[in-house]
Amino acid sequence: MKIAVDAMGGDFAPDAIIEGVLMAAAELPENVAIVLIGKQAIMQELIKKHNAEAVANIELVNADDVIDMSEHPTKALSQKPNSSIGVGFKLLKEGKVQAFCSAGNTGAMHVGALFSIKAIEGILRPCIAGFVPQLTGGYAVMLDIGANADCKPEMLAQFGHIGSIYAQSTFNIDKPRVALMNIGSEEQKGSLVAQAAHQLLKENHRINFIGNIEGGDFFGGHADVIITDGFTGNTMFKLGESFYKVAAQRGLSDEFLDKTNYESVGGSPILGVNGNVIIAHGISSPLAIKNMIGLAIRQVESDAYTKIAQALS
Amino acid sequence: MKIAVDAMGGDFAPDAIIEGVLMAAAELPENVAIVLIGKQAIMQELIKKHNAEAVANIELVNADDVIDMSEHPTKALSQKPNSSIGVGFKLLKEGKVQAFCSAGNTGAMHVGALFSIKAIEGILRPCIAGFVPQLTGGYAVMLDIGANADCKPEMLAQFGHIGSIYAQSTFNIDKPRVALMNIGSEEQKGSLVAQAAHQLLKENHRINFIGNIEGGDFFGGHADVIITDGFTGNTMFKLGESFYKVAAQRGLSDEFLDKTNYESVGGSPILGVNGNVIIAHGISSPLAIKNMIGLAIRQVESDAYTKIAQALS
């Protein structure tokens, strides 16, 4: 299994990325290698600086260009085929790597996935999933957390279906509890979109829909899969992550609060595309990159995207 | 000044309400009295139980009926004119009290306000404001936190205007910084509604619009007024309040996290109506009720609703 990592994407790239990759490489299972994509000379120099040995499970692939965080995704991808993101998707499409991860331009990662490996047939809109730590242990999968600011009820209903398959295959949860984020527990509550989505989710007997949950239930362990539009999902997810920062600023330390830190999982998969694509925070630290690689391995092993494609075919 | 309080509304009413009113009464300014509305015999008995003396600044007004938390607002209000909520709005409309507060049926409070004192002329939709503690001190006013699950850009723009007037008059903030909750800092980011609202807010030179903020900025002290639709606002506000519960569950104690507890302000005003109406949490404790009364006094003194009406006329 090969996990490709964009060495050049992220606010602290390439240093933080390479450091994280080296941390991951030290603990990789025997059948896993990391393919690091970026400017060859820079990557070599940084690997040398951090750790001259023990990099047998890291391959370097040269990419001359870099897509900046502020560049227009579609334009940048067509103008820079030799960017680290461009090369990563080429390798992923050709099956030379089983996952591609980047902390770089999120839009370019999303567009790159749609243009290369493409959306799964039957998917209305791919989305981004986030992991919300639960007080009862483990994480809930929340989707969408930002790819689709405007969602139709049918999209939300499909998020429920693919989120359920993802949670089941990647986290081994039997009959994942799927909940709709809403502003009241009763089914007639909420926006017009949420009300309609509730009915569609209720009618889908392939999922274990448990009804609405509210903002106060975010960390409460009530659901394994939390469905919402990309606007609400993004604002809530970022607010949830800020819990860690608030606690740190207040000098509080706690095992659960540590999990609200973005580093604890390190990446967010794009779901609904024909492959494993993981987006990391722009500010990703080495630890976040290491954990992102762990998530990528887990996803490749679980083969979630194939299971999603089968369910929709 | 007379502040009316619904003795019968709330999960722990009438006990918690009466206890909170007695706490408030012990510290009231000389010119303020509380008008307690509910079943006379029950109120008298509870006041006796808690504190036989020092209730010179509490008046009792009998109301034979109670609107339950689960009742349909419009139906309940028309069928129960002698409910505590019905009587409260009658007193408010007649000018016999200057504010009406209840921890009871939120829908009935909203409908009651619209039917009695009515929306201010020019208001597209009244909304509910919440108070978000800021790490830099004080609170930001967030609106809407739940009255309008679906909002048009014009409504969001108007929330910015009335929120600014409210923050200025009630919290004495000069040129309140008004921000739009969004999923990116750039003005072209977000849902179609958020993008359009951004433009309208930018064009309104009567407010100090500072642009978008994101979920991670919720407690960050960047804004004095946070604008959002009632769906996003409700889910975020409840998630923000849950910080206190999570911290308590984890055995953490901190002055800032204490402020994320709903009790610290105790009430949410309905803005955009011709009077002071404050809604409290169903689970309101005596401390929450006491603080809600404090907010009501502040609102009456600041005369925010008259200033909003003047700005729109």
Side-chain angles (χ1 to χ4, degrees):
Chain A
M1 178 199 309
K2 289 189 178 177
I3 308 292
V5 177
D6 173 8
M8 313 307 284
D11 299 345
F12 306 114
D15 302 57
I17 313 297
I18 304 242
E19 206 180 323
V21 163
L22 290 167
M23 282 167 70
E27 297 175 16
L28 281 185
E30 271 199 14
N31 65 333
V32 180
I34 296 170
V35 176
L36 206 42
I37 307 169
K39 294 185 180 174
Q40 189 97 13
I42 294 176
M43 295 193 296
Q44 275 169 338
E45 194 189 305
L46 280 170
I47 288 176
K48 213 169 172 183
K49 180 186 144 196
H50 281 292
N51 186 342
E53 326 277 332
V55 288
N57 50 10
I58 301 179
E59 293 172 28
L60 303 186
V61 170
N62 186 59
D64 287 325
D65 268 339
V66 176
I67 295 177
D68 290 332
M69 298 301 254
S70 59
E71 283 188 80
H72 186 277
T74 320
K75 217 183 279 178
L77 272 168
S78 67
Q79 286 171 351
K80 296 180 174 175
N82 287 320
S83 61
S84 50
I85 291 181
V87 171
F89 278 115
K90 192 169 170 284
L91 295 177
L92 187 65
K93 193 187 173 186
E94 291 168 353
K96 290 180 180 156
V97 299
Q98 282 65 56
F100 177 44
C101 317
S102 175
N105 187 312
T106 306
M109 286 298 287
H110 200 80
V111 171
L114 293 177
F115 282 13
S116 63
I117 54 170
K118 296 192 167 64
I120 291 169
E121 215 183 309
I123 284 283
L124 300 170
R125 289 279 194 294
C127 63
I128 301 175
F131 301 95
V132 181
Q134 299 294 302
L135 284 161
T136 47
Y139 291 84
V141 180
M142 185 170 191
L143 60 176
D144 179 21
I145 64 159
N148 309 282
D150 291 292
C151 285
K152 291 182 178 166
E154 293 75 17
M155 290 166 63
L156 294 180
Q158 195 174 65
F159 295 163
H161 193 187
I162 66 178
S164 178
I165 297 169
Y166 182 83
Q168 192 161 19
S169 52
T170 308
F171 289 97
N172 302 315
I173 298 166
D174 192 37
K175 291 187 190 162
R177 297 161 300 165
V178 177
L180 178 68
M181 183 53 68
N182 207 331
I183 63 173
S185 55
E186 305 88 347
E187 58 184 78
Q188 74 279 13
K189 280 285 173 80
S191 61
L192 296 173
V193 167
Q195 289 176 43
H198 185 107
Q199 293 307 317
L200 294 173
L201 285 160
K202 210 170 79 172
E203 286 160 13
N204 185 348
H205 297 295
R206 289 175 298 182
I207 62 172
N208 174 22
F209 180 56
I210 59 162
N212 297 340
I213 60 170
E214 299 185 59
D217 305 322
F218 193 69
F219 296 118
H222 304 289
D224 303 303
V225 179
I226 302 172
I227 303 307
T228 186
D229 64 89
F231 191 91
T232 311
N234 185 277
T235 55
M236 291 190 84
F237 194 73
K238 286 178 181 162
L239 171 54
E241 281 183 344
S242 80
F243 201 171
Y244 173 77
K245 281 181 281 179
V246 170
Q249 196 172 329
R250 301 295 303 172
L252 299 168
S253 174
D254 175 74
E255 206 183 315
F256 177 77
L257 295 189
D258 285 350
K259 284 196 196 168
T260 66
N261 185 2
Y262 79 97
E263 282 182 333
S264 81
V265 176
S268 293
I270 299 181
L271 296 185
V273 292
N274 288 298
N276 296 300
V277 180
I278 297 179
I279 297 170
H281 239 293
I283 56 161
S284 283
S285 67
L287 177 61
I289 297 299
K290 173 182 178 274
N291 289 337
M292 172 184 75
I293 293 168
L295 175 68
I297 295 170
R298 199 163 181 161
Q299 265 190 225
V300 174
E301 283 171 347
S302 75
D303 207 18
Y305 81 88
T306 310
K307 288 172 184 156
I308 291 170
Q310 283 165 352
L312 292 179
S313 70
Chain B
M1 179 198 310
K2 289 189 179 179
I3 308 292
V5 177
D6 172 9
M8 313 308 283
D11 300 343
F12 306 114
D15 300 59
I17 312 297
I18 302 237
E19 206 180 324
V21 162
L22 289 168
M23 280 167 72
E27 298 176 14
L28 282 185
E30 271 199 15
N31 63 332
V32 181
I34 296 170
V35 176
L36 205 43
I37 307 168
K39 295 185 178 173
Q40 188 99 13
I42 294 177
M43 296 193 296
Q44 274 168 338
E45 192 188 307
L46 279 169
I47 289 176
K48 211 170 175 182
K49 179 186 145 197
H50 282 291
N51 186 341
E53 325 279 330
V55 288
N57 49 10
I58 301 179
E59 294 173 27
L60 303 187
V61 171
N62 187 58
D64 287 325
D65 268 338
V66 176
I67 295 178
D68 289 332
M69 299 301 253
S70 59
E71 283 188 81
H72 187 279
T74 319
K75 215 183 282 178
L77 272 168
S78 67
Q79 286 170 351
K80 296 179 173 176
N82 286 322
S83 61
S84 50
I85 291 182
V87 171
F89 278 115
K90 190 168 172 284
L91 295 178
L92 187 65
K93 194 186 172 187
E94 290 169 352
K96 290 180 180 156
V97 299
Q98 281 66 53
F100 177 45
C101 317
S102 174
N105 188 312
T106 304
M109 285 298 286
H110 201 80
V111 171
L114 292 177
F115 283 13
S116 64
I117 53 170
K118 296 193 168 61
I120 290 169
E121 214 183 311
I123 283 284
L124 300 170
R125 289 279 194 294
C127 64
I128 302 174
F131 301 95
V132 181
Q134 299 295 300
L135 284 160
T136 47
Y139 292 83
V141 180
M142 186 171 191
L143 58 173
D144 177 20
I145 64 159
N148 308 280
D150 292 292
C151 285
K152 293 185 178 165
E154 293 74 19
M155 288 164 66
L156 294 180
Q158 194 174 66
F159 294 164
H161 192 187
I162 66 178
S164 178
I165 296 169
Y166 183 82
Q168 192 162 21
S169 52
T170 309
F171 288 97
N172 301 314
I173 298 167
D174 192 36
K175 290 187 190 161
R177 297 160 302 165
V178 177
L180 178 66
M181 183 52 68
N182 207 331
I183 64 172
S185 54
E186 306 87 348
E187 59 183 79
Q188 73 279 13
K189 281 285 173 80
S191 61
L192 297 173
V193 167
Q195 288 176 45
H198 185 108
Q199 294 308 318
L200 294 173
L201 286 160
K202 210 169 78 170
E203 286 161 14
N204 185 348
H205 297 294
R206 289 176 296 181
I207 61 171
N208 174 22
F209 180 56
I210 59 162
N212 297 339
I213 60 169
E214 299 185 58
D217 305 322
F218 194 69
F219 296 117
H222 304 290
D224 303 304
V225 179
I226 302 173
I227 303 306
T228 188
D229 63 88
F231 191 90
T232 310
N234 185 277
T235 56
M236 292 191 84
F237 193 75
K238 286 179 181 161
L239 171 53
E241 282 183 343
S242 81
F243 277 32
Y244 173 78
K245 280 182 281 180
V246 171
Q249 197 171 330
R250 301 295 302 173
L252 299 167
S253 173
D254 175 74
E255 204 183 314
F256 177 76
L257 292 184
D258 283 353
K259 283 194 194 168
T260 67
N261 184 3
Y262 80 95
E263 282 183 333
S264 82
V265 176
S268 292
I270 299 180
L271 295 187
V273 292
N274 288 300
N276 296 301
V277 180
I278 296 179
I279 297 171
H281 240 292
I283 57 163
S284 283
S285 66
L287 177 61
I289 295 299
K290 171 180 179 276
N291 289 336
M292 173 184 75
I293 292 168
L295 175 68
I297 295 170
R298 201 164 178 159
Q299 265 190 226
V300 173
E301 282 170 349
S302 75
D303 206 17
Y305 82 87
T306 309
K307 286 170 186 158
I308 291 171
Q310 282 164 353
L312 292 179
S313 70

